């Protein structure tokens, strides 16, 4: 049950990060998802990323919609405020939260039903507004909590557990995010933590909308032969375009890669991404080339993963709106209320 | 010869125009010039859901007594739109006047024998003076204002001054407008019989009053109430509220040192997103609002239930229009009471405020943010098109500089550090309102999970029935607390003891005040109670208990206020008699007096004593 707290004791020699926190300080309640659920691996990757980046857990806010994926914020970062909102509407709630306090880190956790079906509009608009957030879709192609109906990301021809094939075209959220102007778009696989953790870290440090489509197999309803979102299928068809090491500014950059095979990208905040190219000519700064590559991979039955698009100079919503540097929720009467004298002048203009 | 209506500073003039013809600013100029002469006016725009081409009307009631409601009937019609000619002529009171463009001859059958006909070749005059077609159209409006100034004895200096103010900075435009004004005025003085039986005379009845629409005032109230975030989706008649907020913020909320904004405004993709953003911002400690109308309220239902159940502050301005569905988008009604009071599925109840005019719209807008924080729940400010989009003459807005925002029960880092017990849904002092923490407050304490599912007092997920009931009952207790925090009703005693009473709210107020005066003059005594908030104060039920017959006057078909009164107070429905106006036009004093008079007789009660006839 989600309200069962984990025991607080831990091994005395458990490693601590620069803030003195251990892994355990980034954990949440015990998961109530099915054993083997891909979503739990994603939660573990978020915990790992936050630990390694030395984030203060209480400076993170976790928001979600409705569904299995949206339950997961309970299972990581127990010292962070969380908000399990309504189905498909996490992006709006996150946008408002972000504008109220620009100083926190915002995780938007959603699923394929939540973001590609009921919430497609809000997904699109939060991306095009460049809300500073890490938007993670835990993508399994089915509705888990209502027992296995197809979602809008299910591939055409993919079979349900009962053997029925999906006849509709799939929505590729990563492609859409690139189209809509996200500054950071990646695809990962819950079964590949080595790839996923650096992607999440880089997404956290990115300024603006960072979108992560994480294929996360549903062991209960979509992990059978004939499914294109099963562990087996994704492992066999995973086509990573790059692999990355992520470094925050304070870390020394140690490059020991073969010359020409690595691209270093410095983000707005000074953090550096070392990208090892795996797919020859893939250019992650070229929007239309990225979309073409993903689409061709899809036609060939491949699941294209890695950091798919990056604009290191992206501008976030606060910058677009020209808001003050201090969080809006910290402003008081003196900064907000114009006062009686101003009102008297206003009155005079209306006579 | 028709009889002739006469009256000084007491008449109704109506302009019938074509939307998009530039008449609005000329008509406003006309109305303001009368105010500048110290004579109160009440104006109403009657406009279509259209940008160009459809009929639009502007009604100016000149009232020395300062009545702000619609009177009903028209004394002087200015029919500038052939499309609506017949209906416009029919609306004139017997003995009234029509002032029309006589460039093209109009057959006598298109008039009425019982009205006074004043023709002036407006088109001919402007066509002779100007060559540019747009200029002809715009200045024709000023020409008729000039003619009317002669017919109604309006001081041309007041108009000239207003033109000067209007075109300040575009000084090039002042002279042509002055010229057009005098072109019309001179023609009228020379060729027409001036002034008419109805006319304006300098008075001192306006004082320091201001002329402002409710949406503008409410938006300024949001600035004074400390709102830093607004999300909205364009919808008539609320859009001008959000746009006014933007304007006020640019003026009053830009940090002078950095040039950066102490506000954020998002025009969202729909109303669902608008309210979602507001809830997110308010959850995170910013004062946030949305402005919408009935259809938007329908779309926001699910989120409103979340805000109720998860207890998140939010302010919603509902500028009501004619429903249901798309309804009458540019007409007024008070028909969203039930959809707001019980918004969302399951058992919900929401707090509503009922401003009567732009001044109260300002005050209640600012108050709404205090109430939202204090009660941690959505607060609906129930405006309507009549209040929101019509300028009204009201006392100046006031503000007490000693006032501070009431942020409600927010547990701080210091309180958490001191070890204060924090349960997000724990009622520690019996008012049903728990403490909340804002995200990011304390490294180790005070974090909790906000959800729309059932939870216990410490915000832990639970499906236990007793835990659910405990929480739902506390929400009722909180609602009972709200009863004492919303603005109290206004009880107006009649001069003599009355057995009948009348309950009303919102934009019905100006018409009701006038109707009560009329009743008094007739020797009919009625006590009156103006409801200003929901949940209802006990006073509402005292008032009902103290009267044999109680009329509930409102502007919707289904008697929504009456429904709330009956059900929330367990009142015998037969005690409350409905008076309903729901054709989309603002209710009039005439309508109220007529309806109540009939029902007083029909019910065969004599709750009033006729004054003894004069000897």
């Amino acid at each position: 049950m989600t309200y069962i707290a984990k025991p607080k004791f831990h091994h005395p020699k458990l490693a601590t990060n620069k803030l003195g926190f251990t892994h355990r300080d980034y954990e949440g309640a015990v998961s109530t998802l099915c054993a083997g659920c891909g979503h739990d691996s994603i939660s573990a990757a978020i915990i790992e990323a936050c630990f390694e980046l030395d984030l203060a857990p209480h400076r993170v806010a976790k928001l979600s919609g409705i569904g299995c994926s949206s339950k997961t914020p309970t299972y990581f970062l127990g010292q962070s405020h969380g908000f399990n909102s309504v189905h498909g509407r996490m992006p709006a709630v996150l946008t408002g939260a972000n504008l109220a306090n620009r100083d926190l880190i915002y995780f938007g956790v959603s699923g394929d039903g939540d973001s590609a079906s009921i919430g497609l509009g809000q997904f699109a608009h939060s991306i095009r507004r460049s809300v500073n957030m890490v938007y993670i879709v835990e993508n399994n192609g089915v509705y888990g909590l209502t027992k296995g109906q197809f979602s809008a990301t299910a591939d055409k021809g993919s079979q349900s557990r009962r053997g029925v094939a999906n006849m509709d075209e799939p929505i590729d959220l990563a492609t859409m995010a690139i189209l809509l102007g996200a500054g950071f778009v990646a695809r990962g696989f819950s079964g590949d933590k080595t790839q996923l953790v650096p992607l999440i870290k880089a997404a956290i440090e990115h300024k603006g909308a960072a979108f992560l489509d994480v294929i996360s197999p549903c062991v209960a309803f979509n992990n059978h032969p004939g499914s294109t979102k099963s562990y087996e299928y994704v492992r066999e068809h995973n086509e990573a375009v790059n692999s990355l090491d992520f470094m925050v500014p304070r870390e020394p950059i140690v490059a020991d890669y073969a010359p020409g095979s690595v691209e270093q990208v410095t983000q707005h905040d000074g953090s550096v991404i070392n990208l090892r190219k795996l797919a020859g000519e893939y250019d992650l700064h070229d929007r239309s080339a990225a979309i073409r590559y993903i689409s061709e991979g899809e036609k060939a039955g491949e699941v294209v993963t890695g950091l798919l698009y990056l604009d290191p100079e992206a501008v976030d919503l606060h910058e677009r709106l020209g808001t003050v540097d201090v969080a809006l929720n910290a402003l008081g009467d003196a900064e907000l209320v114009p006062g009686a004298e101003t009102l008297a002048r206003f009155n005079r203009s209306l006579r | 010869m028709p009889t002739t209506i006469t009256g000084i500073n007491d008449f109704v003039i109506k302009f019938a125009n074509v939307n998009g013809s530039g008449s609005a600013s000329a008509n406003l100029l006309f109305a303001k010039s009368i105010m500048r002469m110290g004579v109160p006016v009440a104006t109403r725009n009657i406009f279509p859901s259209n940008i160009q081409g459809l009929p639009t009307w502007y009604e100016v009631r000149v009232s020395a007594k300062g009545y702000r409601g619609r009177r009903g009937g028209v004394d002087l019609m200015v029919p500038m739109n052939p499309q609506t000619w017949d209906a416009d002529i029919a609306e004139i009171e017997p003995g009234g006047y029509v002032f029309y463009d006589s460039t093209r001859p109009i057959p006598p059958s298109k008039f009425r024998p019982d009205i006074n006909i004043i023709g002036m070749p407006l088109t001919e005059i402007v066509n002779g003076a100007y060559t540019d077609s747009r200029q002809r159209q715009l200045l024709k409006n000023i020409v008729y204002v000039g003619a009317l100034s002669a017919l109604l004895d309006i001081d041309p200096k007041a108009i000239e001054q207003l033109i000067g103010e209007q075109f300040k900075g575009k000084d090039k435009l002042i002279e042509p407008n002055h010229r057009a004004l005098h072109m019309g005025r001179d023609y009228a003085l020379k060729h027409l019989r001036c002034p008419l039986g109805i006319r304006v005379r300098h008075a001192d009845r306006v004082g320091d009053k201001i002329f402002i629409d409710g949406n503008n005032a409410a938006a300024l109230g949001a600035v004074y109430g400390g709102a830093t975030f607004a999300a909205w989706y364009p919808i008539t008649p609320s859009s001008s509220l959000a746009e006014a907020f933007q304007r006020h913020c640019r003026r009053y909320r830009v940090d002078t040192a950095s040039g950066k904004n102490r506000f954020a405004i998002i025009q969202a993709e729909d109303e669902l997103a608008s309210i979602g953003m507001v809830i997110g911002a308010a959850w995170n400690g910013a004062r946030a609002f949305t402005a919408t109308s009935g259809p938007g309220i329908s779309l926001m239902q699910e989120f409103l239930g979340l805000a109720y159940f998860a207890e998140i502050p939010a302010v919603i301005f509902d500028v009501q229009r004619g429903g249901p569905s798309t309804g009458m988008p540019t007409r007024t009604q008070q028909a969203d009471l039930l959809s707001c009071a019980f918004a969302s599925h399951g058992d919900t109840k929401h707090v509503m405020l009922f401003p009567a005019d732009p001044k109260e719209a300002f005050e209640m807008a600012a108050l709404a943010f205090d109430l939202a924080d204090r009660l941690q729940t959505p607060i609906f400010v129930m405006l309507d098109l009549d209040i929101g989009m019509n300028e009204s003459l009201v006392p100046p807005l006031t503000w007490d500089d000693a006032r501070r925002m009431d942020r409600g029960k927010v547990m701080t880092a210091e309180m958490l550090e001191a070890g204060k017990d924090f349960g997000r849904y724990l009622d520690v002092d019996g008012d049903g309102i728990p403490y909340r923490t804002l995200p990011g407050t304390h490294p180790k304490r005070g974090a909790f999970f906000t959800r729309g599912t059932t939870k216990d007092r410490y915000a832990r997920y639970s499906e236990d029935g007793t835990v659910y009931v405990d929480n739902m009952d506390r929400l009722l207790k909180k609602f009972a607390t709200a009863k004492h925090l919303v603005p109290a009703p206004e009880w107006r005693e009649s001069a003599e003891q009355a057995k009948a009473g009348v309950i009303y709210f919102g934009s019905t107020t100006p018409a009701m005040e006038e109707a009560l005066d009329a009743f008094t003059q007739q020797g009919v005594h009625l006590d009156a109670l103006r409801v200003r908030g929901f949940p209802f104060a006990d006073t509402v039920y005292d008032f009902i208990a103290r009267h044999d017959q109680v009329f509930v006057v409102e502007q919707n078909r289904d008697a929504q206020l009456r429904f709330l009164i009956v059900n929330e107070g367990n009142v015998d429905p037969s005690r409350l008699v409905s008076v309903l106006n729901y054709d989309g036009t603002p209710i009039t004093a005439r309508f109220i007096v007529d309806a109540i008079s009939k029902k007083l007789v029909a019910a065969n009660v004599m709750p009033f004593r006729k004054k003894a006839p004069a000897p």
Side-chain angles (χ1 to χ4, degrees), chain A residues 3 58-59 79 81-82 84 89 92 96-97 106 122 129 321-322 324-325 329 333 336 339-340 342 347 350-351, chain B residues 36 208 210-211 224 252-253 260-262 269 273 277 280-281 284 303 397 401 405 437 440 444 448 450 461:
Chain A
Y3 54 79
H58 76 294
R59 302 304 292 173
Q79 293 309 320
H81 274 65
N84 198 182
R89 317 294 171 212
Y106 293 90
Q122 296 217 335
R129 286 193 186 100
L321 292 176
V324 285
D325 297 337
N329 72 354
D333 292 87
L336 299 178
T342 302
N347 285 327
L350 296 167
R351 288 182 184 129
Chain B
R36 286 290 171 92
D208 63 351
I210 60 169
F211 197 53
Y224 275 76
Y252 302 124
R253 283 284 190 72
K260 291 186 178 176
N261 299 325
R262 295 193 184 116
E269 60 269 31
M277 289 178 196
N284 215 357
F303 257 131
L397 308 179
D401 280 334
M405 288 189 265
T437 54
K444 294 271 180 190
F448 69 96
T450 304
Y461 179 82

Side-chain angles (χ1 to χ4, degrees), chain B residues 540-556:
Chain B
V540 174
Y541 298 103
D542 293 345
F543 183 87
I544 294 166
R546 294 248 303 261
H547 294 89
D548 294 342
Q549 192 179 18
V550 177
F551 297 95
V552 183
V553 182
E554 48 188 318
Q555 303 187 57
N556 58 65

Side-chain angles (χ1 to χ4, degrees), chain A residues 147-298:
Chain A
K147 304 197 172 176
Q149 300 83 2
F150 283 120
S151 86
T153 64
D155 289 312
K156 194 171 184 179
S158 181
Q159 285 186 1
S160 76
R161 210 172 56 160
R162 294 200 180 104
V164 182
N166 172 45
M167 301 310 290
D168 298 331
E169 291 293 332
I171 289 174
D172 183 345
L173 291 171
T175 302
M176 284 193 72
I178 297 172
L179 263 173
L180 291 161
F184 180 109
V185 179
R187 178 140 50 212
F189 171 43
S190 66
D192 186 352
K193 208 170 160 183
T194 323
Q195 181 192 38
L196 187 55
V197 173
L199 283 176
I200 295 173
K201 286 165 72 177
I204 292 171
E205 295 290 327
H206 179 77
K207 190 176 180 187
F211 180 75
L212 276 148
D213 179 24
V214 186
I215 311 296
S216 174
C218 173
V219 289
F221 298 107
N222 207 8
N223 197 31
H224 45 267
S227 158
T228 58
K229 296 253 185 314
S230 66
Y231 278 112
E232 200 182 326
Y233 184 91
V234 180
R235 266 195 204 106
E236 276 173 16
H237 298 81
N238 191 342
E239 188 63 43
V241 294
N242 46 33
S243 85
L244 68 163
D245 294 320
F246 178 77
M247 292 163 201
V248 288
R250 49 193 176 274
E251 285 175 12
I253 296 170
V254 195
D256 57 350
Y257 306 110
S261 68
V262 170
E263 183 192 347
Q264 280 196 348
V265 186
T266 309
Q267 296 210 97
H268 229 188
D269 64 340
S271 61
V272 173
I273 300 169
N274 282 328
L275 280 160
R276 234 169 337 129
K277 295 183 178 182
L278 299 178
E281 294 310 304
Y282 190 83
D283 179 2
L284 84 166
H285 305 301
D286 183 337
R287 195 167 269 158
S288 45
I291 291 169
R292 198 166 53 243
Y293 190 93
I294 296 166
S295 154
E296 277 163 12
E298 188 190 305

Side-chain angles (χ1 to χ4, degrees), chain B residues 59-139:
Chain B
E59 201 175 276
V60 180
R61 178 180 187 185
V62 181
S63 167
K65 288 184 176 161
Y67 289 136
R68 295 174 298 159
R70 272 186 86 216
R71 187 197 69 183
V74 175
D75 300 321
L76 168 58
M77 178 66 76
V78 185
M80 302 299 290
N81 182 359
Q83 283 173 278
T84 58
W85 177 276
D86 291 343
D88 292 335
I89 295 297
E91 207 182 340
I92 302 167
E93 297 276 301
Y97 308 81
V98 56
F99 172 76
Y100 76 106
D101 181 359
S102 62
T103 305
R104 281 179 55 201
I106 292 173
S109 63
K110 299 294 268 181
F111 295 96
R112 279 166 36 195
D114 61 341
I115 56 172
N116 300 283
I117 299 159
I118 306 149
M120 175 167 160
L122 291 166
T123 306
E124 195 184 304
I125 293 170
V126 291
N127 286 0
Y130 308 102
T131 49
D132 176 67
S133 65
R134 183 67 184 159
Q135 210 175 20
R136 280 174 173 175
Q137 189 181 36
L138 291 175
L139 291 173

Side-chain angles (χ1 to χ4, degrees), chain B residues 266-278:
Chain B
I266 297 282
Q267 185 190 313
E269 60 269 31
D270 54 31
E271 285 89 344
L272 284 76
S274 306
I275 188 68
M277 289 178 196
V278 167

Side-chain angles (χ1 to χ4, degrees), chain B residues 364-582:
Chain B
M364 289 191 185
L367 173 68
F369 292 94
D370 278 352
L371 290 180
D373 272 350
R374 171 59 47 188
L375 292 163
Q376 299 172 20
T377 199
I379 307 290
F380 291 82
V381 185
M382 305 299 286
L383 296 156
D384 59 24
L385 185 143
D386 191 30
I387 300 171
M389 290 192 71
N390 288 311
E391 280 150 318
S392 187
L393 204 52
V394 293
L397 308 179
T398 55
W399 189 258
D400 177 4
D401 280 334
R403 177 171 165 171
R404 293 288 170 267
M405 288 189 265
D406 173 14
R407 299 307 315 259
K409 294 183 188 173
V410 180
M411 207 169 270
T412 61
E414 294 72 40
M415 291 159 84
L416 291 164
E417 190 60 38
K420 204 163 168 163
D421 183 25
F422 174 64
R424 174 64 185 96
Y425 300 105
L426 180 69
D427 180 10
V428 289
D429 41 20
D431 60 4
I433 307 168
Y435 272 87
R436 62 175 179 143
T437 54
L438 301 181
T441 298
H442 190 280
K444 294 271 180 190
R445 294 174 188 156
F448 69 96
F449 212 83
T450 304
R451 47 164 64 88
T453 38
T454 313
K455 60 267 162 183
D456 68 8
R457 294 173 176 187
Y458 288 86
R460 292 171 300 211
Y461 179 82
S462 169
E463 292 176 7
D464 183 330
T466 55
V467 167
Y468 171 82
V469 170
D470 176 64
N471 188 50
M472 289 299 278
D473 289 353
R474 182 184 52 75
L475 285 168
L476 270 188
K477 191 187 264 184
K478 182 166 94 167
F479 201 64
T481 300
K483 187 166 83 169
H484 305 289
L485 298 179
V486 299
E490 249 178 34
W491 188 318
R492 176 172 158 159
E493 296 267 5
S494 74
E496 291 177 34
Q497 201 191 345
K499 288 187 179 170
V502 57
I503 295 177
Y504 63 101
F505 70 101
S507 63
T508 302
T509 306
M512 181 58 71
E513 284 167 355
E514 186 180 350
L516 291 169
D517 281 0
F519 276 123
T520 307
Q521 272 168 22
Q522 292 171 25
V524 178
H525 296 289
L526 278 172
D527 291 336
L529 189 83
R530 180 161 75 89
V531 173
R532 301 202 301 156
F534 178 78
F536 302 123
D538 296 337
T539 325
V540 174
Y541 298 103
D542 293 345
F543 183 87
I544 294 166
R546 294 248 303 261
H547 294 89
D548 294 342
Q549 192 179 18
V550 177
F551 297 95
V552 183
V553 182
E554 48 188 318
Q555 303 187 57
N556 58 65
R557 186 194 68 179
D558 291 345
Q560 299 190 18
L561 183 74
R562 179 177 174 275
F563 177 98
L564 289 175
I565 292 172
V566 164
N567 287 281
E568 292 296 302
N570 214 11
V571 173
D572 175 2
S574 68
R575 309 250 303 106
L576 301 181
V577 182
S578 276
V579 173
L580 304 169
N581 171 74
Y582 52 92

